[in-house]
Amino acid sequence: LFETNHPRVQERALDCLARLIRDNAETAEAACWNHDLVGMAVRFVRDHRPPVRLLACNVLSSLMRAGLVDKMTATNSAEVSAVVIPTLVKLFHEPQTRVEAPAVLGALVADSERLQKAACDADALNKIVAILKDSPEKAPALFESALRSMAALTSSRDESRKVVLDEKVLPIILAALQSDSSPLRAAAAICLQSLSRSIKTLRSSLADCSVVEPLLALLDDESDEVKCAALG
C-alpha cells in the first residue's frame, strides 16, 4: 500500500499504521520485523503533503518511544529525531496539521530531556507560547494541543519553564482551568503540574499567580480525567 501511486491510499495506510502502533510496542515491533517502517516513514516525512508528513512523524514518534529505531534498524534515533522535530515545528503553521502537530511533538519528547532541548532549539516552545497568546478561546482544540505540548516541553527543563513564566502566559493557562471543555481543563492542569516541577524561584512565581487554589477546585470536577490531571 505504501508503494502505490495513489496518494489517498498512501495517506490512509499511514493513518492506519499510526493508529495501530500508537502506544503499542508489541505491534510496532512485529511490524518492523517484516517491513522497513523507519525508512518508509522517513521518506514520507519529506512528502509535499502536510497531512502525510504529520502521519509519518507520528509513526516515527511511536517507533522511537518504543525504542525500536535503534533496536530494529541501522538508523540512529538521534538522526531520525533531527528530521522529525523540525518537520513537526514547521507543521504548526500548516492549516491542515496545526491542531495535531503540537500534540504529536509533545508525545515524542515527553520522556526525553534531550529531545525536549532539541525541540526548544528548533523554536518549538516559542511557537507554542505564540499559539496560547493568539485568541485561544476561538480554537479550543488547538489550545488543548498546545497546552499538552507545553507540558511535555517543560517537564524536565527549568530553562523551558523560565521561558514560559517570562512570557507571562500563566494567566492564560489558569483561565483554561475554567473552560467548558473538560479535555481543555485537563490539559491546563497537566501543564501547570509540569511547570510546578521547578526550582524554588520558579515555584515562587507560580505561587504569585495563585495556582494552588484553582487546581484544588478541580478535584471536585465532574470529569475523572480532569481530577486525575489536577492530582498530578
Short mmCIF file of all heavy atoms in Angstrom, two decimals, residues 87-124:
data_model
loop_
_atom_site.label_atom_id
_atom_site.label_comp_id
_atom_site.label_asym_id
_atom_site.label_seq_id
_atom_site.Cartn_x
_atom_site.Cartn_y
_atom_site.Cartn_z
N THR A 87 10.45 19.14 11.35
CA THR A 87 9.28 18.95 10.48
C THR A 87 8.00 19.25 11.25
O THR A 87 7.10 19.95 10.76
CB THR A 87 9.24 17.52 9.93
OG1 THR A 87 10.42 17.28 9.15
CG2 THR A 87 8.01 17.30 9.07
N LEU A 88 7.90 18.72 12.47
CA LEU A 88 6.70 18.96 13.28
C LEU A 88 6.53 20.45 13.60
O LEU A 88 5.41 20.97 13.56
CB LEU A 88 6.78 18.15 14.58
CG LEU A 88 6.49 16.65 14.43
CD1 LEU A 88 6.83 15.92 15.72
CD2 LEU A 88 5.02 16.42 14.06
N VAL A 89 7.62 21.12 13.90
CA VAL A 89 7.54 22.55 14.21
C VAL A 89 7.03 23.33 13.00
O VAL A 89 6.19 24.24 13.12
CB VAL A 89 8.90 23.09 14.68
CG1 VAL A 89 8.86 24.60 14.86
CG2 VAL A 89 9.31 22.42 16.00
N LYS A 90 7.50 22.96 11.82
CA LYS A 90 7.01 23.62 10.60
C LYS A 90 5.52 23.34 10.37
O LYS A 90 4.79 24.19 9.86
CB LYS A 90 7.82 23.15 9.39
CG LYS A 90 9.25 23.66 9.38
CD LYS A 90 10.03 23.09 8.20
CE LYS A 90 11.48 23.55 8.24
NZ LYS A 90 12.28 22.94 7.14
N LEU A 91 5.10 22.14 10.76
CA LEU A 91 3.69 21.77 10.57
C LEU A 91 2.75 22.55 11.49
O LEU A 91 1.53 22.53 11.29
CB LEU A 91 3.51 20.27 10.78
CG LEU A 91 4.11 19.39 9.68
CD1 LEU A 91 4.05 17.91 10.08
CD2 LEU A 91 3.41 19.61 8.35
N PHE A 92 3.30 23.25 12.50
CA PHE A 92 2.48 24.13 13.34
C PHE A 92 1.78 25.19 12.48
O PHE A 92 0.73 25.71 12.86
CB PHE A 92 3.33 24.87 14.37
CG PHE A 92 3.86 24.03 15.50
CD1 PHE A 92 3.63 22.67 15.56
CD2 PHE A 92 4.61 24.61 16.50
CE1 PHE A 92 4.13 21.90 16.60
CE2 PHE A 92 5.12 23.86 17.55
CZ PHE A 92 4.88 22.50 17.61
N HIS A 93 2.38 25.54 11.34
CA HIS A 93 1.90 26.65 10.54
C HIS A 93 1.03 26.21 9.36
O HIS A 93 0.52 27.06 8.62
CB HIS A 93 3.08 27.46 10.00
CG HIS A 93 3.98 28.01 11.07
ND1 HIS A 93 3.59 29.03 11.91
CD2 HIS A 93 5.23 27.65 11.46
CE1 HIS A 93 4.57 29.29 12.77
NE2 HIS A 93 5.57 28.47 12.52
N GLU A 94 0.88 24.91 9.19
CA GLU A 94 0.07 24.41 8.08
C GLU A 94 -1.39 24.26 8.53
O GLU A 94 -1.67 23.63 9.55
CB GLU A 94 0.59 23.06 7.60
CG GLU A 94 2.00 23.11 7.01
CD GLU A 94 2.01 23.74 5.63
OE1 GLU A 94 0.92 23.95 5.04
OE2 GLU A 94 3.12 24.02 5.13
N PRO A 95 -2.33 24.83 7.78
CA PRO A 95 -3.75 24.77 8.20
C PRO A 95 -4.26 23.35 8.44
O PRO A 95 -5.07 23.13 9.35
CB PRO A 95 -4.48 25.43 7.02
CG PRO A 95 -3.47 26.32 6.40
CD PRO A 95 -2.15 25.62 6.56
N GLN A 96 -3.77 22.39 7.67
CA GLN A 96 -4.28 21.02 7.78
C GLN A 96 -3.70 20.26 8.98
O GLN A 96 -4.25 19.23 9.38
CB GLN A 96 -3.97 20.24 6.51
CG GLN A 96 -4.70 20.74 5.27
CD GLN A 96 -4.17 20.08 4.02
OE1 GLN A 96 -3.05 20.36 3.57
NE2 GLN A 96 -4.95 19.19 3.45
N THR A 97 -2.61 20.76 9.54
CA THR A 97 -1.92 19.99 10.59
C THR A 97 -1.67 20.78 11.86
O THR A 97 -1.13 20.24 12.82
CB THR A 97 -0.57 19.49 10.06
OG1 THR A 97 0.22 20.61 9.61
CG2 THR A 97 -0.75 18.51 8.91
N ARG A 98 -2.06 22.05 11.89
CA ARG A 98 -1.67 22.92 13.01
C ARG A 98 -2.30 22.49 14.34
O ARG A 98 -1.73 22.78 15.40
CB ARG A 98 -2.01 24.38 12.71
CG ARG A 98 -3.48 24.68 12.57
CD ARG A 98 -3.70 26.07 11.96
NE ARG A 98 -3.06 27.11 12.75
CZ ARG A 98 -3.69 27.90 13.61
NH1 ARG A 98 -5.01 27.75 13.79
NH2 ARG A 98 -3.05 28.84 14.27
N VAL A 99 -3.43 21.80 14.30
CA VAL A 99 -4.05 21.37 15.55
C VAL A 99 -3.35 20.15 16.14
O VAL A 99 -3.07 20.10 17.35
CB VAL A 99 -5.55 21.05 15.32
CG1 VAL A 99 -6.15 20.39 16.57
CG2 VAL A 99 -6.31 22.32 14.99
N GLU A 100 -3.01 19.18 15.31
CA GLU A 100 -2.45 17.93 15.81
C GLU A 100 -0.94 17.96 16.01
O GLU A 100 -0.41 17.23 16.85
CB GLU A 100 -2.81 16.78 14.86
CG GLU A 100 -4.29 16.50 14.79
CD GLU A 100 -4.60 15.34 13.87
OE1 GLU A 100 -3.70 14.53 13.62
OE2 GLU A 100 -5.74 15.25 13.39
N ALA A 101 -0.24 18.77 15.23
CA ALA A 101 1.23 18.74 15.27
C ALA A 101 1.82 19.02 16.65
O ALA A 101 2.76 18.32 17.08
CB ALA A 101 1.80 19.71 14.23
N PRO A 102 1.33 20.02 17.41
CA PRO A 102 1.90 20.23 18.74
C PRO A 102 1.76 19.02 19.66
O PRO A 102 2.68 18.69 20.41
CB PRO A 102 1.10 21.43 19.27
CG PRO A 102 0.65 22.15 18.06
CD PRO A 102 0.35 21.07 17.06
N ALA A 103 0.61 18.34 19.60
CA ALA A 103 0.41 17.17 20.46
C ALA A 103 1.32 16.02 20.06
O ALA A 103 1.83 15.29 20.92
CB ALA A 103 -1.05 16.72 20.39
N VAL A 104 1.54 15.84 18.77
CA VAL A 104 2.46 14.79 18.30
C VAL A 104 3.88 15.08 18.80
O VAL A 104 4.59 14.19 19.27
CB VAL A 104 2.44 14.67 16.77
CG1 VAL A 104 3.51 13.70 16.28
CG2 VAL A 104 1.06 14.22 16.29
N LEU A 105 4.28 16.34 18.72
CA LEU A 105 5.60 16.72 19.23
C LEU A 105 5.68 16.46 20.73
O LEU A 105 6.68 15.92 21.22
CB LEU A 105 5.89 18.19 18.94
CG LEU A 105 7.22 18.71 19.48
CD1 LEU A 105 8.39 18.04 18.78
CD2 LEU A 105 7.31 20.22 19.34
N GLY A 106 4.63 16.82 21.45
CA GLY A 106 4.63 16.61 22.90
C GLY A 106 4.78 15.15 23.26
O GLY A 106 5.53 14.79 24.18
N ALA A 107 4.07 14.28 22.55
CA ALA A 107 4.18 12.84 22.82
C ALA A 107 5.58 12.33 22.55
O ALA A 107 6.10 11.48 23.28
CB ALA A 107 3.17 12.08 21.96
N LEU A 108 6.22 12.86 21.51
CA LEU A 108 7.57 12.42 21.17
C LEU A 108 8.59 12.77 22.25
O LEU A 108 9.42 11.95 22.62
CB LEU A 108 7.99 13.05 19.84
CG LEU A 108 9.46 12.87 19.43
CD1 LEU A 108 9.79 11.39 19.26
CD2 LEU A 108 9.75 13.64 18.16
N VAL A 109 8.52 14.00 22.78
CA VAL A 109 9.58 14.49 23.67
C VAL A 109 9.29 14.28 25.15
O VAL A 109 10.16 14.54 25.99
CB VAL A 109 9.86 15.99 23.41
CG1 VAL A 109 10.12 16.24 21.94
CG2 VAL A 109 8.72 16.87 23.91
N ALA A 110 8.10 13.81 25.49
CA ALA A 110 7.65 13.81 26.89
C ALA A 110 8.62 13.14 27.85
O ALA A 110 8.82 13.62 28.97
CB ALA A 110 6.28 13.14 26.98
N ASP A 111 9.24 12.04 27.45
CA ASP A 111 10.09 11.28 28.37
C ASP A 111 11.58 11.45 28.10
O ASP A 111 12.39 10.65 28.58
CB ASP A 111 9.73 9.79 28.28
CG ASP A 111 8.28 9.53 28.67
OD1 ASP A 111 7.81 10.15 29.64
OD2 ASP A 111 7.62 8.72 27.99
N SER A 112 11.95 12.47 27.35
CA SER A 112 13.36 12.64 26.97
C SER A 112 13.78 14.09 27.11
O SER A 112 13.34 14.95 26.34
CB SER A 112 13.60 12.16 25.54
OG SER A 112 14.89 12.54 25.08
N GLU A 113 14.64 14.37 28.06
CA GLU A 113 15.14 15.74 28.21
C GLU A 113 15.95 16.16 26.98
O GLU A 113 15.92 17.32 26.57
CB GLU A 113 16.00 15.84 29.47
CG GLU A 113 16.47 17.26 29.76
CD GLU A 113 17.19 17.40 31.08
OE1 GLU A 113 17.19 16.42 31.87
OE2 GLU A 113 17.75 18.49 31.34
N ARG A 114 16.68 15.20 26.39
CA ARG A 114 17.46 15.51 25.19
C ARG A 114 16.54 15.98 24.05
O ARG A 114 16.83 16.97 23.38
CB ARG A 114 18.25 14.27 24.73
CG ARG A 114 19.05 14.50 23.44
CD ARG A 114 19.75 13.22 23.00
NE ARG A 114 18.81 12.21 22.57
CZ ARG A 114 18.26 12.17 21.36
NH1 ARG A 114 18.52 13.12 20.47
NH2 ARG A 114 17.42 11.20 21.03
N LEU A 115 15.43 15.28 23.86
CA LEU A 115 14.51 15.67 22.80
C LEU A 115 13.78 16.96 23.13
O LEU A 115 13.46 17.75 22.24
CB LEU A 115 13.51 14.55 22.53
CG LEU A 115 14.09 13.26 21.93
CD1 LEU A 115 12.98 12.25 21.69
CD2 LEU A 115 14.84 13.54 20.64
N GLN A 116 13.51 17.20 24.41
CA GLN A 116 12.89 18.46 24.80
C GLN A 116 13.81 19.63 24.46
O GLN A 116 13.36 20.66 23.94
CB GLN A 116 12.58 18.45 26.30
CG GLN A 116 11.45 17.51 26.68
CD GLN A 116 11.34 17.28 28.17
OE1 GLN A 116 11.68 18.16 28.96
NE2 GLN A 116 10.88 16.11 28.57
N LYS A 117 15.09 19.46 24.72
CA LYS A 117 16.06 20.52 24.38
C LYS A 117 16.13 20.71 22.87
O LYS A 117 16.16 21.84 22.37
CB LYS A 117 17.44 20.18 24.93
CG LYS A 117 18.47 21.28 24.66
CD LYS A 117 19.83 20.93 25.24
CE LYS A 117 20.80 22.11 25.09
NZ LYS A 117 20.93 22.58 23.69
N ALA A 118 16.15 19.59 22.13
CA ALA A 118 16.20 19.68 20.67
C ALA A 118 14.99 20.42 20.13
O ALA A 118 15.09 21.24 19.20
CB ALA A 118 16.30 18.29 20.06
N ALA A 119 13.82 20.15 20.70
CA ALA A 119 12.60 20.83 20.26
C ALA A 119 12.66 22.32 20.58
O ALA A 119 12.26 23.16 19.76
CB ALA A 119 11.38 20.19 20.91
N CYS A 120 13.16 22.66 21.76
CA CYS A 120 13.28 24.07 22.12
C CYS A 120 14.30 24.77 21.23
O CYS A 120 14.12 25.93 20.84
CB CYS A 120 13.65 24.21 23.58
SG CYS A 120 12.30 23.73 24.70
N ASP A 121 15.38 24.08 20.89
CA ASP A 121 16.38 24.64 19.98
C ASP A 121 15.78 24.88 18.59
O ASP A 121 16.26 25.75 17.85
CB ASP A 121 17.59 23.70 19.86
CG ASP A 121 18.43 23.66 21.13
OD1 ASP A 121 18.27 24.57 21.97
OD2 ASP A 121 19.24 22.73 21.27
N ALA A 122 14.75 24.10 18.25
CA ALA A 122 14.06 24.28 16.97
C ALA A 122 12.96 25.33 17.07
O ALA A 122 12.13 25.46 16.15
CB ALA A 122 13.48 22.95 16.50
N ASP A 123 12.90 26.05 18.18
CA ASP A 123 11.96 27.15 18.41
C ASP A 123 10.53 26.67 18.70
O ASP A 123 9.57 27.44 18.57
CB ASP A 123 11.95 28.12 17.22
CG ASP A 123 11.53 29.53 17.63
OD1 ASP A 123 11.80 29.92 18.79
OD2 ASP A 123 10.92 30.23 16.81
N ALA A 124 10.38 25.40 19.09
CA ALA A 124 9.04 24.87 19.34
C ALA A 124 8.34 25.60 20.48
O ALA A 124 7.15 25.94 20.38
CB ALA A 124 9.12 23.37 19.64
#
